[in-house]
Amino acid sequence: MSRPTKQSPERGNARIRLLESARDIVRAKGFAATTVDDLCRSADVTKGAFFHHFESKDALGVAAAEFWTEKTSAFFAAAPYHDLADPLERVLGYVAFRKAIIEGDLAAFTCLVGTMAQEVYASSQGIREACGRSIFGHAETLEADIEAARRERGITGDWTAQSLARHTQAILQGGFVLAKAGNDPALAREALDHLARYIRQLFHVTEETIA
Amino acid sequence: MSRPTKQSPERGNARIRLLESARDIVRAKGFAATTVDDLCRSADVTKGAFFHHFESKDALGVAAAEFWTEKTSAFFAAAPYHDLADPLERVLGYVAFRKAIIEGDLAAFTCLVGTMAQEVYASSQGIREACGRSIFGHAETLEADIEAARRERGITGDWTAQSLARHTQAILQGGFVLAKAGNDPALAREALDHLARYIRQLFHVTEETIA
DNA sequence: TCAGAAACATACCATACGGTCGGTATGAGT
DNA sequence: ACTCATACCGACCGTATGGTATGTTTCTGA
């Protein structure tokens, strides 16, 4: 990839600007309704540049999902709840953190890969798989803390850390759908309140006994 | 609406056939990717008929959401869990029923209005509102049983029947998203297992004490 | 029986869409 | 200085798309 020039300081960023535009526009309009021209206009690049970087619109979709995975991984890896000493507190800290970042414009906090998976699961295998890797990969990052909390506290229910980790993602995705349908971010936050209550019950703790 | 004729026994059904096609195709491909021609081909009607019944593709979307509301309302109203005497058993029966009907093809059991809302929430207010009415209207049908169970059992948590009713829908929608992303209906069923466990915990019952 | 409306059908249109192609500009290596 | 690869440009293409205009058939109600 080439560096910026005196004349065009943006040169070399076209691919990333396209991915950023996709992240924003697809979350607002959906993948199918987002046109290549939309993306080019938003990213301020030409169609030639688009198809230089991406073989097809579908390939852009896959790349956007992977770009999303990268960015969100880094974002959550740097989040403060990891600093908590108690694994259960980290799990509940994750849920609280997810709730805290739900505010403002729907397209700004909802999930790109959830939106895309819902839309193209049957028509584009590549995109669906990339979305699946993103969601389930993220879920996996929660498993260790859940399992540690479980062992540490001697919890023996008929559920697994993997299953609960996935469930957190189901509730997030479902909360986003309801927030969109009701045009109200509070609906997504409400879902996370129930999730936190569920987790506390699974671990026999209350809001008073644990943050 | 006109009746069938000897020559064309299907006459008079075009509107409904279009709505049924929309229900099936939109769930598989999404709203934007579903073309008017797709619908006409599937419903075996001409474009003229389509635009005779629907002012625009958007209007079809609204009508499809309302059609979905009608059909699902009747479907769930006739479901067997209503016959149970205990309100909490009816609530858990609902969850079990929702789980039982999740099988086979993803497009066959996932939710039309959830899919559409996720996709068009920002671009088509009419469709979004129709989807919202469908989801939250369905949630409302659960409130009475939840509230009755709560009173009957003297449960006093910091949650409302309305909120829990909505949460069931969030988990369903989220389960569908995960099932699509992972291409596995079991992921949606797993989410409902967690929901049933959550509800039992809220009401201090176990699988042994209540069906 | 006949007028009017509703339920379709057919041909057509303007445009938007994903994608292509030949070209230029820039930077890295030698 | 020259070559090569990569980044990017912008005009162009074929087709798919939502929508329309103008018919024809069928039912209803007076």
Side-chain angles (χ1 to χ4, degrees), chain A residues 2 11-12 14 48 52-53:
Chain A
S2 57
R11 191 183 172 87
H52 169 72
H53 288 290

Side-chain angles (χ1 to χ4, degrees), chain A residues 131-192:
Chain A
C131 293
R133 285 193 298 273
S134 189
I135 293 174
F136 298 112
H138 180 62
E140 276 176 29
T141 67
L142 306 171
E143 278 183 39
D145 281 343
I146 294 174
E147 184 58 28
R150 200 181 152 126
R151 285 174 188 275
E152 201 172 89
R153 291 165 186 266
I155 303 296
T156 56
D158 57 338
W159 52 274
T160 64
Q162 184 191 45
S163 173
L164 181 57
R166 281 201 291 246
H167 192 55
T168 62
Q169 302 309 298
I171 289 182
L172 277 161
Q173 297 294 341
F176 294 153
V177 172
L178 261 63
K180 288 174 182 174
N183 195 29
D184 184 1
L187 291 161
R189 289 193 291 266
E190 184 182 57
L192 287 174

Side-chain angles (χ1 to χ4, degrees), chain B residues 180-210:
Chain B
K180 288 175 181 173
N183 195 29
D184 184 0
L187 291 161
R189 288 193 293 265
E190 184 181 58
L192 287 174
D193 286 336
H194 283 286
L195 174 58
R197 192 180 294 107
Y198 178 47
I199 294 173
R200 287 201 177 88
Q201 287 179 354
L202 286 176
F203 285 94
H204 313 307
V205 299
T206 65
E207 271 190 279
E208 285 84 50
T209 56
I210 196 167

Side-chain angles (χ1 to χ4, degrees), chain B residues 6-211:
Chain B
K6 302 118 201 175
Q7 285 88 357
S8 0
E10 303 291 352
R11 190 184 173 88
N13 299 351
R15 183 188 149 89
I16 287 175
R17 290 208 310 280
L18 282 166
L19 291 172
E20 288 169 345
S21 294
R23 176 195 63 199
D24 298 337
I25 302 181
V26 171
R27 283 196 290 176
K29 312 206 313 184
F31 181 75
T34 299
T35 71
V36 172
D37 285 315
D38 280 342
L39 296 170
C40 292
R41 212 173 307 128
S42 163
D44 199 35
V45 303
T46 59
K47 229 169 185 182
F50 183 99
F51 285 100
H52 170 72
H53 288 290
F54 306 104
E55 201 179 296
S56 62
K57 191 193 170 189
D58 242 60
L60 175 275
V62 173
E66 285 163 354
F67 182 72
W68 177 261
T69 306
E70 279 175 43
K71 294 299 172 182
T72 55
S73 294
F75 177 70
F76 287 110
Y81 59 84
H82 292 291
D83 299 335
L84 296 165
D86 181 16
L88 180 54
E89 281 193 42
R90 289 199 293 275
V91 173
L92 291 168
Y94 168 77
V95 176
F97 185 70
R98 294 302 309 246
K99 183 185 173 189
I101 59 180
I102 293 175
E103 55 171 354
D105 191 26
L106 279 160
F109 66 78
T110 50
C111 177
L112 173 71
V113 292
T115 303
M116 285 206 296
Q118 175 98 299
E119 204 181 332
V120 305
Y121 73 98
S123 19
S124 173
Q125 199 189 334
I127 296 179
R128 200 214 75 221
E129 285 171 356
C131 293
R133 284 194 298 273
S134 189
I135 292 175
F136 298 112
H138 180 62
E140 276 175 31
T141 67
L142 306 171
E143 278 183 39
D145 281 343
I146 295 174
E147 184 57 29
R150 200 181 153 127
R151 286 174 187 273
E152 200 172 271
R153 291 165 185 267
I155 304 296
T156 55
D158 57 338
W159 52 274
T160 65
Q162 184 191 45
S163 173
L164 181 57
R166 281 201 290 246
H167 192 54
T168 63
Q169 303 309 299
I171 288 182
L172 277 161
Q173 297 295 340
F176 294 152
V177 172
L178 261 63
K180 288 175 181 173
N183 195 29
D184 184 0
L187 291 161
R189 288 193 293 265
E190 184 181 58
L192 287 174
D193 286 336
H194 283 286
L195 174 58
R197 192 180 294 107
Y198 178 47
I199 294 173
R200 287 201 177 88
Q201 287 179 354
L202 286 176
F203 285 94
H204 313 307
V205 299
T206 65
E207 271 190 279
E208 285 84 50
T209 56
I210 196 167

Side-chain angles (χ1 to χ4, degrees), chain A:
Chain A
M1 192 180 299
S2 57
R3 319 271 166 60
T5 328
K6 301 120 200 172
Q7 284 88 355
S8 1
E10 303 290 354
R11 191 183 172 87
N13 300 352
R15 182 186 150 89
I16 286 175
R17 289 208 310 281
L18 282 166
L19 292 171
E20 287 169 346
S21 294
R23 177 195 62 200
D24 298 337
I25 302 180
V26 170
R27 282 196 290 176
K29 313 207 313 183
F31 181 74
T34 299
T35 70
V36 172
D37 285 315
D38 281 341
L39 297 171
C40 292
R41 211 175 308 128
S42 162
D44 199 35
V45 304
T46 60
K47 231 169 184 181
F50 183 100
F51 285 100
H52 169 72
H53 288 290
F54 307 103
E55 200 180 298
S56 63
K57 191 192 169 189
D58 243 60
L60 175 276
V62 173
E66 286 164 353
F67 182 72
W68 177 261
T69 306
E70 280 175 41
K71 295 298 173 182
T72 55
S73 294
F75 177 69
F76 287 111
Y81 58 85
H82 292 291
D83 299 335
L84 296 165
D86 180 14
L88 179 55
E89 280 194 43
R90 289 199 293 274
V91 173
L92 290 168
Y94 167 77
V95 176
F97 184 70
R98 294 302 309 246
K99 183 184 174 188
I101 59 179
I102 293 175
E103 55 170 355
D105 191 25
L106 279 161
F109 66 77
T110 49
C111 177
L112 173 71
V113 292
T115 303
M116 285 206 296
Q118 175 99 300
E119 204 181 333
V120 305
Y121 73 99
S123 19
S124 173
Q125 199 189 333
I127 296 179
R128 202 214 73 220
E129 286 171 355
C131 293
R133 285 193 298 273
S134 189
I135 293 174
F136 298 112
H138 180 62
E140 276 176 29
T141 67
L142 306 171
E143 278 183 39
D145 281 343
I146 294 174
E147 184 58 28
R150 200 181 152 126
R151 285 174 188 275
E152 201 172 89
R153 291 165 186 266
I155 303 296
T156 56
D158 57 338
W159 52 274
T160 64
Q162 184 191 45
S163 173
L164 181 57
R166 281 201 291 246
H167 192 55
T168 62
Q169 302 309 298
I171 289 182
L172 277 161
Q173 297 294 341
F176 294 153
V177 172
L178 261 63
K180 288 174 182 174
N183 195 29
D184 184 1
L187 291 161
R189 289 193 291 266
E190 184 182 57
L192 287 174
D193 286 337
H194 283 286
L195 174 58
R197 192 180 294 108
Y198 178 48
I199 294 174
R200 286 201 177 88
Q201 287 178 355
L202 286 176
F203 285 93
H204 312 307
V205 300
T206 66
E207 272 190 278
E208 285 83 50
T209 56
I210 196 167

